[in-house]
Amino acid sequence: MAQQSSGQRAGYITVSIYDQNYHLAGQDTEHIRALADLVDSKMRAVAAQGRTVDSLRVAVLAAINLADELSRASIDSRQ
């Protein structure tokens, strides 16, 4: 699960996504953490359903799933 490291400067956050740490900057670190949690959980869900252990493939499949969800939400909001 994505998490923040302590001792970070304001506007900076360290998150863990799929067991990799990323040091990110932004105005809303809580929003960044929530996005990292979403990506982490989507990657873990994709990995649990497939046979691949290649993290790049897992990331691409998770991105496709998230893009599909965004596209469907966009279409639903226009109706």
Side-chain angles (χ1 to χ4, degrees):
M1 179 174 281
Q3 57 191 358
Q4 180 178 0
S5 294
S6 60
Q8 294 288 319
R9 291 184 292 161
Y12 290 86
I13 187 171
T14 299
V15 296
S16 178
I17 302 172
Y18 207 64
D19 300 327
Q20 295 289 318
N21 289 331
Y22 298 91
H23 308 287
L24 307 173
Q27 294 180 358
D28 188 348
T29 56
E30 291 302 315
H31 183 67
I32 293 169
R33 180 186 299 127
L35 293 173
D37 285 340
L38 177 63
V39 172
D40 183 72
S41 64
K42 187 60 71 175
M43 287 183 70
R44 291 182 188 284
V46 166
Q49 292 179 0
R51 294 183 207 150
T52 185
V53 293
D54 178 14
S55 60
L56 178 59
R57 287 184 71 92
V58 170
V60 169
L61 292 172
I64 290 170
N65 276 280
L66 289 167
D68 179 54
E69 290 175 15
L70 178 61
S71 175
R72 290 174 189 270
S74 177
I75 291 169
D76 289 346
S77 70
R78 285 186 254 153
Q79 294 178 352

